Amino acid sequence: RKEVEQDPGPFNVPEGATVAFNCTYSNSASQSFFWYRQDCRKEPKLLMSVYSSGNEDGRFTAQLNRASQYISLLIRDSKLSDSATYLCVVRAPPGQGGKLIFGQGTELSVKP
Amino acid sequence: DTGVSQNPRHKITKRGQNVTFRCDPISEHNRLYWYRQTLGQGPEFLTYFQNEAQLEKSRLLSDRFSAERPKGSFSTLEIQRTEQGDSAMYLCTIRGENTIYFGEGSWLTVV
């Protein structure tokens, strides 16, 4: 079982749609959680950190459920420019090196 | 400016050749990480350094791979006797106080 698992893609949605990505992680000691966006052949870029209380940044809302070890990302009113691969990322605890553990990514394609 | 410079950005090499990638953080950071990303997958951890000490190596880092960070600043990742399965993007990251900086990656194609 992979340490971080994401919904398989690709997601093909029309402009203006709401799309949700889900992710689960296996290490209950993990303390930091993120969503990254990656454009084709580019490095990942931080979209947002994810907090237990849930957090919102414009059209993007992230949720964390520690009990079920589940992370989600909701994109409202999707734009063509949202087309990218979205990576669910968990940081290993400090005692385990603090490395980033990435999901395989979910590809989103927003169509006109 | 990503805070991390990686070179070369692209490398095409013949199978069996050795290649070396370099990662230069623009400022001092204690922790430096290397990841590998193949097509259709997320990045996978390879190894990390705390200053010049290599503290962890993934099982993905076969004996053909070696990484160094001799002065605790820049780092190199060498792949010996490259195989087609080594074709990937090699990413370097450094960990700031509250931020993780990514390099733009080095793309390797083994033909």
Side-chain angles (χ1 to χ4, degrees):
Chain A
R1 183 189 169 192
K2 290 191 173 184
E3 290 186 75
V4 178
E5 295 202 63
Q6 292 185 239
D7 275 351
F11 281 47
N12 297 302
V13 303
E15 263 187 300
T18 296
V19 61
F21 300 138
N22 302 312
C23 170
T24 57
Y25 61 96
S26 60
N27 188 343
S28 59
S30 301
Q31 296 174 5
S32 302
F33 310 89
F34 312 92
W35 283 100
Y36 275 75
R37 171 197 168 122
Q38 186 172 30
D39 293 295
C40 189
R41 298 185 70 84
K42 299 284 191 181
E43 77 277 15
K45 292 191 187 295
L46 179 66
L47 180 65
M48 56 199 304
S49 300
V50 188
Y51 304 111
S52 296
S53 54
N55 48 300
E56 189 173 308
D57 182 2
R59 298 181 293 109
F60 300 84
T61 301
Q63 298 272 356
L64 167 65
N65 184 321
R66 286 185 183 271
S68 54
Q69 295 176 208
Y70 170 88
I71 307 164
S72 66
L73 176 68
L74 186 76
I75 305 176
R76 291 183 300 278
D77 187 24
S78 52
K79 311 290 184 192
L80 296 177
S81 57
D82 293 334
S83 297
T85 296
Y86 290 82
L87 295 161
C88 177
V89 185
V90 174
R91 185 153 68 200
Q96 296 175 23
K99 59 185 176 281
L100 298 179
I101 303 164
F102 293 81
Q104 73 176 80
T106 303
E107 186 180 344
L108 172 66
S109 180
V110 182
K111 306 290 188 186
Chain B
D1 182 7
T2 64
V4 181
S5 175
Q6 289 191 244
N7 289 287
R9 294 291 318 284
H10 301 274
K11 178 74 176 178
I12 300 174
T13 192
K14 290 184 178 179
R15 190 175 53 178
Q17 297 294 304
N18 299 345
V19 296
T20 299
F21 298 115
R22 179 172 168 131
C23 172
D24 281 275
I26 62 167
S27 58
E28 287 189 13
H29 289 85
N30 288 344
R31 289 200 174 182
L32 183 149
Y33 300 78
W34 284 99
Y35 297 85
R36 180 179 76 181
Q37 186 174 21
T38 53
L39 284 175
Q41 300 297 318
E44 295 172 291
F45 169 76
L46 291 179
T47 187
Y48 90 94
F49 293 84
Q50 173 85 21
N51 299 314
E52 66 273 12
Q54 188 174 18
L55 295 188
E56 186 179 349
K57 294 194 283 188
S58 158
R59 60 177 174 72
L60 293 176
L61 215 67
S62 75
D63 56 5
R64 297 184 298 105
F65 287 70
S66 62
E68 293 183 342
R69 196 183 184 199
K71 298 180 182 177
S73 56
F74 73 92
S75 176
T76 57
L77 177 69
E78 181 184 16
I79 310 173
Q80 295 182 324
R81 305 181 304 281
T82 51
E83 301 173 355
Q84 286 188 319
D86 297 331
S87 295
M89 177 168 68
Y90 292 85
L91 278 162
C92 175
T93 75
I94 54 174
R95 189 168 160 192
E97 205 167 303
N98 296 309
T99 307
I100 299 167
Y101 298 94
F102 278 73
E104 293 178 310
S106 292
W107 282 94
L108 173 65
T109 302
V110 181
V111 296

